Amino acid sequence: MGDTARIWIPRVLLAIELALFAFIATHLDVGLKTEMIDGQPVGNCSETEFATIGMVWLGMTCLALAGCLFSLFGRSKWLGLVLFALPVITATTMAKYQEDRYPACWERPADPRKG
């Protein structure tokens, strides 16, 4: 039982972490993806959606930490650490790039499609 748990718990954690990463990476206008029209970033600004993505991001980070801790007890420690840390590093880098290039939704001009 111990070997089975040691093998499958990290795999399940990684699968859930990657699903959360995919949700964050594909969500419109909350850090990683912005719609551009006529050179201006546009999108809906919803505090509820922003809070949801924040909670998903927190969950992804917690799963990465738990996965890294489980990896310390496996045979391939460094591979496990990289596999769990890479989605968080990628998402954070992409979000920082997004933040530097495009203003946040609440700092944008009105949506040109609605005018």
Side-chain angles (χ1 to χ4, degrees):
M1 179 69 180
D3 288 337
T4 304
R6 191 171 47 175
I7 291 171
W8 284 103
I9 289 175
R11 291 179 182 177
V12 170
L13 288 176
L14 183 61
I16 295 169
E17 179 186 355
L18 291 176
L20 294 176
F21 172 75
F23 180 76
I24 291 169
T26 59
H27 201 276
L28 180 65
D29 200 27
V30 288
L32 302 182
K33 188 175 164 187
T34 298
E35 184 179 358
M36 299 293 288
I37 296 179
D38 296 329
Q40 289 291 325
V42 296
N44 296 326
C45 187
S46 169
E47 290 183 23
T48 306
E49 290 178 14
F50 194 76
T52 300
I53 291 299
M55 293 304 292
V56 171
W57 197 296
L58 183 62
M60 179 183 69
T61 306
C62 290
L63 286 174
L65 178 63
C68 286
L69 290 175
F70 274 112
S71 296
L72 293 176
F73 301 108
R75 281 183 280 176
S76 56
K77 290 177 182 61
W78 293 109
L79 178 62
L81 290 172
V82 168
L83 285 176
F84 281 102
L86 196 59
V88 174
I89 292 168
T90 303
T92 305
T93 303
M94 291 172 66
K96 183 61 180 158
Y97 176 83
Q98 168 82 10
E99 180 184 337
D100 289 346
R101 299 302 181 275
Y102 308 112
C105 63
W106 48 85
E107 297 173 354
R108 295 187 189 149
D111 191 345
R113 293 179 295 181
K114 294 181 182 177

